[in-house]
Amino acid sequence: MLGDVPLWTTVLQLLAAGLVGGFCALHWVWWRGSLRPDGSAWALWLSAAMALMLLTAGLHGVTASSLGRGVLAFLHAQLVAAVVLLCLPATRAFGGTGPRLGPWVAVTATLLAVRSLLWVVAPVAPGLDAGDGSTPHALAVALLFVALAVSVGYVVAALGASRITGLGWLLVGAGTLSLVLLTGGILLDDRHDAAALGGLWPIPLAVGLESLALVRLRRSQLTAQRRELMRDALADLTNAAWFSRDADALLEHARDVARTVLDDPTVEGSLRPLQRERFVAELFPADASRLAAHERTFLIDLAVVVATAAERYALTDRLSRAAETDALTGLPNRRAADRYLLDTLERAAVERTRVSVIYCDIDGFKDVNDRQGHAQGDDLLRRTADYLRTWSGAETYVARLAGDEFAVVVSRAPTDAELADLARRLRAGFDARVGNPAGPRLTCGVATWNPEEVIDADALLRHADDAMLEAKRARSGHRVFDSALRARAEDSRRLRAALERAVEEDRITAYYQPIVDTGTLEVIGLEALARWQEGDKVILPEHWLTLAEQTGLIVPIGHAMFRQARRALDRHQMPVAVNLSARELHESDVLERIEDAWGGSPWEHLTVEITESTMLRTTTAVPVLSELRARGARIALDDFGTGFSSLARLARLPVDVLKIDRSFVREVRTPRGAGPVRAIVALAEHHGLDVVAEGVESAGDLQVLIDLGVRRAQGMFVGRPAPGLPVRGARPVPRSELPRRARARIVPRPLRVVPGGVEDAATSSEML
């Protein structure tokens, strides 16, 4: 194949070798940037083999040594064999399909190996170069033609099994031209022409390969750029999905993104709901067969983002509805009502219209729960909700606030008289459709916001609630929040603010009322009573105790009372009784609070007083009091006899002292009043309990209590509450030792108190 060639042929071979070698770098870039097997590696090896083959042919033309020319001829023959062999896997890689490669490669490699062996067995002679028809040369040529035939046969079979593009036809044409040149170089008789053709035959194939490399590299660059655009578009759509709340709008956005990135205006999208709030989204062009694998993946990723966002939107809407909907009645809950009322007030402020709230409460709801069970209570709530829902019109909004409380918001509210008539008809309709005259009834409170007022949704609801509570108290069925109630509410607000300041400044102080022995009038204990010190005045609990219970301020007040009671114990060395409210018992850390305020032992000098109703109605009362009793404290049942406790249950309660209510002591000198006191004393003796009579206001009351067996008492007659320590007075002379005429005039002298402040004699209110 190699021989003496013109100089221009040698120059062209060397130039082609350098050019093809330079293009190997292009092939390497193509191979390194390739994300999938697309023939780039085989194109690199094939180009490298052809570059070396052209270089060897060029060097052969300028080499004068016979040995050097023989070595270069041998290398050229092996590189020709390598090119023929590499065409097989390169064809399979470029076409993507074809016959099974192994047998074809094995046959071709065997033929070319035998051809190479001839160069080892037969000595290198000029005949090999000149093509003189010697046996080794003829056999080598025959083997090369057979190998070429096998390679061409595989190429034809592979091309027949795949769809050839324009670039493929270019490569096929270049390979065919190189094959023709190679065949001509072998078969032509003219040595110079044959050598020229034999040396230049790789150039067409190299041109085809480099064209393929350029096109594929450019395609890879465009693919990489498109992938970047796809990543950016996918990230942009993902961010948009977090801020959007409309799945259809997000689908349109994804469709527009796909059209822009893929440069295909035929891309369309669809979003279909499935079961259980699941969605499936699709993005597809008019001709899906033209899409590359990464483009199909891009459309799938966009569709997944849209479907996932649609499911999240549906779940968010469901959770939002659940968060703002009452599960039992299906009405909006307090949260939704607050938001709606605020929006309505803001709109009314612009439109200069009035907004009213009708606050409804079911009277007798607790009795229904207690007598008929919670299932009937729930049914009553549902029927009430249905009634209010059907009764409301276009300008009304119904919500369940809590428990058995409902609110009807009336936008563009009419006059107060019309609102009162509306509440009356609402109550009457409830009696006719839901309740009955003897059963549960509806109590309504009406409050109205006017455009000149400050927008305050909480205050409007609170005023309607105050009107409803006033209607309950007056048993009128309905009440409008008028100027009188507004003034009362304002007084309550001011009182609460003042009470909060007093608690914060620790101006709730303890006054101590003595508990005396009825026989000797000796002070044997103290009861700590809370008093509000406001400047020079002392405000009694009857003016603020209910407010403290409602607002929770009773908790820090009770803590202060226990703390001051401990200081009184240390200062006066006398047992102290402290009242414990129901609100304090509801606190989870009530025991820790009491222990912190009392400071630990001695517990035996502490008496904790609790009312009978609190003991029976508060579920945490018995465990808390049992724990205090176990530590050594004594438990007193205050206002005994006024509640509904069972006498049989008294033995099971953690109680040490029964305090006879002042209502019995007030009438103790009458048969009707003495009977309950006698029964309480007998009951206490039976259970081994102490008895203390409250509210002793006169010597006659004290004498009767002594006769009935009451050994301890407290009241204004035996000692008034004071910040100092009461001192025992002179022991009274027994009535039996007095002359008849003096018995009506001699009165046991009440206890004196240490200077430090004494309350007005007409006051008899106690704390808690």
Side-chain angles (χ1 to χ4, degrees), residues 529-541:
L529 304 176
R531 296 295 184 264
W532 176 2
Q533 196 76 33
E534 189 68 29
D536 296 334
K537 297 193 306 180
V538 175
I539 304 177
L540 299 179

Side-chain angles (χ1 to χ4, degrees), residues 348-370:
V350 175
E351 298 175 353
R352 309 300 293 174
T353 57
R354 302 188 345 144
V355 178
S356 293
V357 173
I358 303 177
Y359 205 103
C360 304
D361 180 88
I362 304 176
D363 294 336
F365 175 73
K366 185 178 184 302
D367 294 336
V368 173
N369 270 338
D370 294 341

Side-chain angles (χ1 to χ4, degrees), residues 364-377 379-380 383 436 439-440:
F365 175 73
K366 185 178 184 302
D367 294 336
V368 173
N369 270 338
D370 294 341
R371 293 196 313 267
Q372 303 178 28
H374 290 281
Q376 290 297 323
D379 181 66
L380 175 60
R383 288 187 287 119
N436 55 73

